[in-house]
Every structure is written in structure tokens, then in C-alpha cells.
Amino acid sequence: MSGAVVPTIGCGAAGRVAPLQGELTLSFLNRLAARYHLTIRDLLAAVTDVGGLQNLTGMLYPDSEIHLNAQARNRVATLCRVAPHVLERALPAWTREEPCGKYGDGPVGRLTRGEEAVAAWGPACPACAAARTGRRTPARRYLAPEERVCARHQFWLLYVPGTSGLPVPLGRCPEVIEAQQRHVRLLRRSPTGAQAFEVARAVTGFWWESWPDEEELWPDRLEATRADGADANRWKVSARDLITYPETIAIAQVLASPHWQQQTIAEARGHLPYRLGEMPALLDELARQLQRPWVARHLATVTRGPLFVWAHACVRTRLAPRSTARHALWQVHSSHRPRSLSDFLDVQGSRDEAGLPAPQPVKRLRGNSLQAERAFDKGLAHARLYHQQHG
Ligand SMILES: [Zn+2]
């Protein structure tokens, strides 16, 4: 190992530090630094030192991740005394990129930022991480949608841009924990469960933008989960995916069900739908699963949005039963995808007592997205017309 600083740390002097499964590389380096009683900056300096110069680009934030080249990875492996293949298996971003340095050859690190940099992540469950590592140092992990809940310790593992994430106690929301169990079962039983979840997430995201006065569960859940010191407005923006999760799973279960797909096709009676009210049985089932009788009435007049697009695509699978039509059933149009929280929160600005950033004026849909949405709606109307004329 070269570099002046690394030998002074002493290779593996703090004992073996193992990565958590699915951990962010920078989270692992944070824990490694803590074990050596170093700051993360000192550790990064040691890992990327080239003859006294630091081969490190990017800025360090609470939501940063790091890409290391092979030489920097070797230094880390020596320091933590874990075999490189074990690190590669545990850390999803470990060999994802080979960054180039400012100072020629040698170890290199490149910092990136946010959820978009590699994949969705959140804080590791603090109780699970403590049990696994024997320490209280917080950690961050890449999370699949069904991993947002630690059912055992009753935490929602919330991603908040600009922070290292917030574990939210779920003691007052047993329905969220129960939804996660249904989520796992759905993925196990249905080959389209993961896709149905994405469509359902778009549906609840769409509703989240303006829910009707009849909605009582979401405001209650917002209050029941709000972190100590969290400002109500900031919390409402940050907690969207947590608050809507039980409803997202309930909708995903209906959409993934072959019975309800058949029922939707049967209700359309060979015509592409003009509004959701043409599928009363589907709406009643959704209202029943969501435990909100008023939902059916509200949905009946809907002629756009992700649920309407799904119903439309579902009927088309019958009219054009090719694999492309089946594929279209699970497509979420870009304008219907829930927007990233970093669009809503000002990560550079002030924080409240819970560490949440302030909401920022929401940028309107960019011109091309707006245009794309209009074109998409027009395309649906055109398909309906074509079908009426030509069958
Ligand atoms: Zn846990």
C-alpha cells in the first residue's frame, strides 16, 4: 500500500469491519472511519492519497455516495480486513464505476449525491444495524420497495434528500407494517407484482397531489408518524411514500389480480373506456380494498391519470392480445411517475428540528413533460376513436 497516511492508520488495526448487506459504500467508509476514531474526511484522504495530493472529486454531503477505482478499493479492503469479493457482494456501488483521477494514476474516489446517483436507498434500521455491527453508528442501505419497513423493529426507513435518512417509528401505524407483509406476499405470488406496485405507486402519487375532503386516514397517519420537531408542511412533503403505502399495496393487489383484469375487460364490453365509471365493479372493489366507500364515486368521472391509463391498457390487451399490449399494461408514463422528493425540497436551505429541509416552490412540469402529457392524452383519445371506427 502506498501513501503516507494509510500506514499511520495501520492496516486493520481496529479489527475487522464488515459491510452490511446492500450498504452504500460511503456509509461503510463512515463506519470504518468511526472505528478508527477518524473523521470521514481523514479516511477519504487516506484512501485517495497520491503522494500527498487527494485524488477525490465531488462534495461530501449527508446523502452522498462514493465510487472508488480498483486501487482505492484495495486500500479499503486492507483497512477493513474483508476480502474484496465479500465487499463486492455486499456493496452494490462497489465496482459500479471506475472513476478517473485528477492526478494521473493511483487511487481515485468520486463523490456523487442523492437517490438518483445509483439507486433508491434509505437509513438502515437502527436496531438491526446495532445488532449486526455491535455499534450505534448509523448506516445507509440500498432498499428495494418492499424493504422500506423493518417489521421486527417497526420502522419506516425514510429517504429525505439532503439528509442521511430518517427511521420513522411505526408503533401507531400497524397498517403500514401489515401492508409490507402483503407486499412481500404479492411479489412472491404474482409475476407482475413488482410492475403492479409501480403503477399503484403512480396512482396514489397522483391522488396525493390533491386529496378530497373525505380523506381522513392520510391526515391522521401524517400526525401519527410525524417526527419530533418536524414541521407539519415539511413532513407532508417528505413522508408521501410512507403515508400512501398501505393504499399503494391495496391497489397493487387489485391490479395484479388476473380476476380483476378479466373483470375490467368484461365490463368494457369490447369498447375502449371513456371514463373509469364504465368499470363500476372495478371501482367498487378498489373502494372496498381501500376501505373508502366514497372512492368509487370520485373515480367514476376520471378520464385521465395513471389508473385510467391502466384500465385503458387492460382493455387493449383483449382487443390486441399481443405481447406489446401486455407490456403496455404495466407502463407508467413519465408524466405520471411520482416526482422525486428533491423536486419539492430545498436541500441547500434551512432545516427544522428533525433535520428536514424546507419545501421549495414546486417547479411546474417542464415544457416538454407538459407537452408529452398532452400528446399522451391525445393519443388515448385517438386510439378510442380509431377503435370506434374500425373495431
Ligand atoms: Zn430492524
Side-chain angles (χ1 to χ4, degrees):
M1 179 174 287
S2 64
V5 193
V6 175
T8 64
I9 295 175
C11 299
R16 189 168 171 274
V17 182
L20 297 170
Q21 195 58 41
E23 192 170 8
L24 273 75
T25 304
L26 191 60
S27 162
F28 175 59
L29 296 186
N30 255 314
R31 294 194 301 105
L32 187 59
R35 191 69 74 87
Y36 281 105
H37 304 287
L38 287 173
T39 66
I40 181 67
R41 286 184 193 284
D42 289 338
L43 184 88
L44 291 180
V47 166
T48 61
D49 176 84
V50 180
L53 294 170
Q54 235 193 88
N55 234 348
L56 181 67
T57 54
M59 300 274 281
L60 193 60
Y61 295 104
D63 57 347
S64 291
E65 172 57 306
I66 193 164
H67 296 295
L68 300 171
N69 74 348
Q71 290 167 67
R73 293 199 297 269
N74 282 340
R75 284 190 177 179
V76 172
T78 309
L79 282 172
C80 65
R81 291 172 60 189
V82 175
H85 73 273
V86 176
L87 292 170
E88 185 172 347
R89 216 168 37 216
L91 304 170
W94 185 243
T95 54
R96 204 176 154 107
E97 280 187 29
E98 291 288 333
C100 297
K102 297 180 281 188
Y103 306 118
D105 293 342
V108 180
R110 187 171 73 80
L111 290 156
T112 60
R113 186 172 193 197
E115 201 177 31
E116 293 83 8
V118 177
W121 57 264
C125 165
C128 287
R132 176 86 174 70
T133 64
R135 317 221 159 204
R136 296 244 157 243
T137 316
R140 296 179 289 147
R141 288 179 59 224
Y142 291 103
L143 297 173
E146 70 277 17
E147 294 175 324
R148 283 282 156 194
V149 173
C150 174
R152 185 158 180 213
H153 301 109
Q154 307 195 339
F155 281 110
W156 179 272
L157 307 170
L158 183 70
Y159 168 78
V160 183
T163 78
S164 55
L166 190 64
V168 183
L170 291 173
R172 291 170 65 197
C173 296
E175 72 276 18
V176 176
I177 297 165
E178 198 255 335
Q180 191 246 357
Q181 285 152 0
R182 285 187 287 128
H183 192 175
V184 171
R185 275 202 300 277
L186 173 70
L187 296 177
R188 204 180 298 141
R189 289 179 190 166
S190 168
T192 55
Q195 295 158 297
F197 173 82
E198 290 305 327
V199 174
R201 191 166 165 258
V203 173
T204 53
F206 195 69
W207 294 351
W208 181 255
E209 285 171 21
S210 66
W211 68 63
D213 293 340
E214 288 96 328
E215 177 59 47
E216 288 171 350
L217 293 175
W218 283 355
D220 286 354
R221 208 175 285 151
L222 271 170
E223 262 324 290
T225 52
R226 179 144 67 100
D228 289 340
D231 166 77
N233 282 330
R234 297 177 190 216
W235 184 241
K236 188 179 167 193
V237 174
S238 308
R240 176 191 66 197
D241 290 354
L242 153 59
I243 304 303
T244 55
Y245 185 65
E247 287 71 27
T248 301
I249 299 304
I251 295 167
Q253 285 179 302
V254 174
L255 302 189
S257 146
H259 168 76
W260 284 105
Q261 291 169 18
Q262 282 306 319
Q263 189 70 25
T264 304
I265 291 168
E267 287 197 292
R269 298 203 197 100
H271 298 288
L272 287 169
Y274 182 70
R275 60 170 70 87
L276 280 175
E278 290 162 42
M279 281 108 185
L282 173 69
L283 301 193
D284 286 345
E285 175 63 8
L286 286 169
R288 200 170 67 81
Q289 294 297 335
L290 293 168
Q291 299 173 350
R292 289 163 174 82
W294 49 268
V295 153
R297 182 169 40 84
H298 269 271
L299 289 178
T301 56
V302 166
T303 59
R304 55 189 284 273
L307 185 61
F308 177 76
V309 170
W310 179 85
H312 196 275
C314 185
V315 175
R316 288 192 79 172
T317 59
R318 174 60 179 275
L319 302 172
R322 297 185 306 264
S323 65
T324 46
R326 287 226 63 85
H327 176 68
L329 182 57
W330 302 117
Q331 265 178 350
V332 180
H333 189 254
S334 60
S335 66
H336 291 157
R337 265 180 226 130
R339 294 178 70 179
S340 155
L341 289 186
S342 52
D343 284 352
F344 299 105
L345 294 168
D346 173 17
V347 296
Q348 314 291 356
S350 69
R351 302 300 168 92
D352 68 6
E353 281 173 42
L356 300 177
Q360 61 181 352
V362 179
K363 290 169 230 139
R364 290 178 59 83
L365 278 178
R366 268 163 273 137
N368 54 355
S369 307
L370 207 62
Q371 241 171 33
E373 189 182 18
R374 288 201 192 109
F376 185 62
D377 285 346
K378 228 161 102 181
L380 283 187
H382 182 77
R384 200 180 298 127
L385 194 69
Y386 182 88
H387 179 67
Q388 276 166 7
Q389 288 170 351
H390 305 282

